[in-house]
Amino acid sequence: MTDFMRILFMGTPEISALCLNKLLEDGKNVVAVVTREDKPRGRGKIMTPTPTKALALERGIPVYTPATLRDDGFLSLLDGINPDIIVVVAYGKILPKSVLDYPKYGCVNLHVSLLPKYRGAAPMQRAIINGERKTGVTVMYMDEGLDTGDILSCESFPIEDEDDFEAVHDKSCEIGSALLSRTLDSIKMGDATRTKQNSAEATYAEKIEKADCQIDFSKSAVEIDRGIRGVTPIPGAFAYLNGKMLKIYKASPIEKSYGDFGVVKEMDGAGVGSFTVSCGEGALKVFGVIPEGKGRMSAGDFIRGRKINVGDKFL
């Protein structure tokens, strides 16, 4: 393969932009970027480009935002770009067979799990929620299935006891972008190896829904803690206290048992502070909250604001 492998990069959110930046830092020949359309953001509903588009424009790379990949218009666009390989990171659209078959060296994807586990939409979140002790990143060739293509490379890392979605996301970005760059080098040199996935070991990471974010205090404190960390900082775990939504973003399970669940048992309003809520098994010590209509605050500030009392019950 020529040293000038022409890369078409497809991606949308922050992880895509970080991977694109790494490829550019490493001297990869990214000739064009395909991303999603601009969307209105903020209170002013200002049309805002994706992080990937913003970076590409800053670096002088042509950017395209096709509404569909399934017509002759996109194939004509590919004819103009003439990519040797397509690299996909969290693009958010299914690539049809006509696109998968287009580049000489195929389409590769960075997926943020250790495939075949956690195929699908929310692999990082589900790994935390399910209590996995490690996760990782995988670079694979893409086929018509959902994250079913042959594996080119993978790298694992531990999920620490206090890691939330943001922490795992950041680790995935750092490790995944470097792995992707190295794997493209292997493809260019012709020494990349392909390993078929064992579908018998596959699991599916369903999209995070609102119901996944509502705290059920009848569960064990350990399960609740994992659920909170799995959706922090976004979309955030919540329960209802005194008729208002309260998000919890920092907490820790403790072994103390009270014989009921969802009831505020202890409070410490000094400094950062904390309050303890009984659970189906164990209890949850809460250190950080987001009251309805407010920003993040410590449990101590929440207590000092007299928004919570011993004996209050979460719903």
Side-chain angles (χ1 to χ4, degrees), residues 111-119 123-124 127 132-139 151 153-158 179 197 201-203:
H111 185 74
V112 284
S113 81
L114 296 173
L115 291 171
K117 294 190 71 173
Y118 297 107
R119 296 171 176 172
M124 293 179 280
E132 299 286 355
R133 301 306 301 170
K134 70 175 182 178
T135 186
V137 290
T138 302
V139 180
I151 293 172
S153 59
C154 62
E155 186 170 342
S156 65
F157 60 85
L179 181 68
Q197 294 189 42
E201 298 177 353
T203 60

Side-chain angles (χ1 to χ4, degrees), residues 19 31 36 125 130 134 152 214 248 275 278 283 302 313:
C19 287
V31 295
R36 302 295 290 270
Q125 299 96 318
N130 292 344
K134 70 175 182 178
L152 285 160
Q214 184 161 5
I248 296 175
F275 59 85
S278 58
F302 189 61
K313 184 171 177 61

Side-chain angles (χ1 to χ4, degrees), residues 54-81:
L55 174 62
L57 292 176
E58 179 185 313
R59 302 295 289 272
I61 301 170
V63 178
Y64 304 94
T65 57
T68 180
L69 308 180
R70 298 182 178 277
D71 60 16
D72 291 341
F74 188 70
L75 292 179
S76 296
L77 177 62
L78 290 179
D79 287 339
I81 297 171

Side-chain angles (χ1 to χ4, degrees), residues 8 20 46 64 76 93 95 100 106 108 126 132 140 177 179 181 189 192 216 221 238-239 242 244-246 262 301 311:
L8 169 60
L20 174 59
I46 298 172
Y64 304 94
S76 296
K93 288 185 179 181
L95 273 60
L100 293 172
V108 300
R126 294 295 178 187
E132 299 286 355
M140 65 173 182
S177 60
L179 181 68
S181 184
M189 297 300 295
D216 179 359
F238 68 91
N242 299 324
K244 293 187 176 182
M245 179 186 287
L246 182 71
D301 284 343

